[in-house]
Amino acid sequence: MSTAFIPGFLLGLSLIVAIGAQNAFVLRQGLRKEHVFLICLTCALSDAILIAAGVAGFGMAVGLLPWLEPAMRYGGALFLFVYAARSLHSAFRKQHDHLSPSSRQANSPLAALATCLALTWLNPHVYLDTVVLLGSISSQYEGRKLAFAAGAICASFCFFFALGYGARLLRPVFANATAWRVLDACVGILMIVIGIQLVR
């Protein structure tokens, strides 16, 4: 089992540690201590569903629907541009919400969940990493696919919960509004770059 579980865990971890739209959102929610468990669980379960689909062979089905990839690509890019505009607006407005209880305005759980689902399921790279890449590599572990998938899924759960709850260690830094401006500006620029890459 370990000969398939460990490679699955390491490969799954290597695919999600790179900073991206989803990870940046999880980090922000963790810093603000807003619906952290819900967001981390949503991201991890989404990955689990996609990884299971990839290992089950659904990567081939994506190739049978040629319209699906461009639809996801342009839809995801549009969402990222809108999210980037919000982040940049937040970064450059005069009064900025930081971690002071008097200035913080929490998002509703439904709004946070909707944003999280959009950042996850409208990102074509998620499907390439989980359904296609992990799915194709799992074929090397015939008879041990379940262990390989379990390792990748475990990596996703470990990473997202570590990111969401570990973000609180940075709270002293982000008690300053300037730090939030920098973070929002970086997130906005990151979203624009990812969106342009999707379009191109």
Side-chain angles (χ1 to χ4, degrees), residues 1-25:
M1 292 288 288
S2 62
T3 58
F5 181 90
I6 293 175
F9 183 91
L10 294 176
L11 181 59
L13 193 62
S14 67
L15 291 174
I16 60 176
V17 293
I19 189 66
Q22 184 188 50
N23 295 350
F25 180 72

Side-chain angles (χ1 to χ4, degrees), residues 36-119:
V36 180
F37 181 81
L38 174 65
I39 296 305
C40 292
L41 183 63
T42 299
C43 291
L45 285 178
S46 296
D47 269 11
I49 292 170
L50 291 168
I51 291 168
V55 172
F58 282 96
M60 296 176 60
V62 176
L64 300 176
L65 301 172
W67 55 267
L68 186 59
E69 189 275 335
M72 290 190 306
R73 184 154 49 94
Y74 290 112
L78 177 62
F79 179 82
L80 288 174
F81 289 142
V82 172
Y83 195 92
R86 290 181 56 190
S87 294
L88 292 174
H89 175 264
S90 177
F92 294 108
R93 65 185 175 188
K94 291 183 178 180
Q95 291 187 343
H96 193 280
D97 296 337
H98 49 289
L99 293 181
S100 170
S102 61
S103 65
R104 198 175 77 183
Q105 183 178 2
N107 291 323
S108 69
L110 187 59
L113 179 61
T115 302
C116 181
L117 289 173
L119 287 171

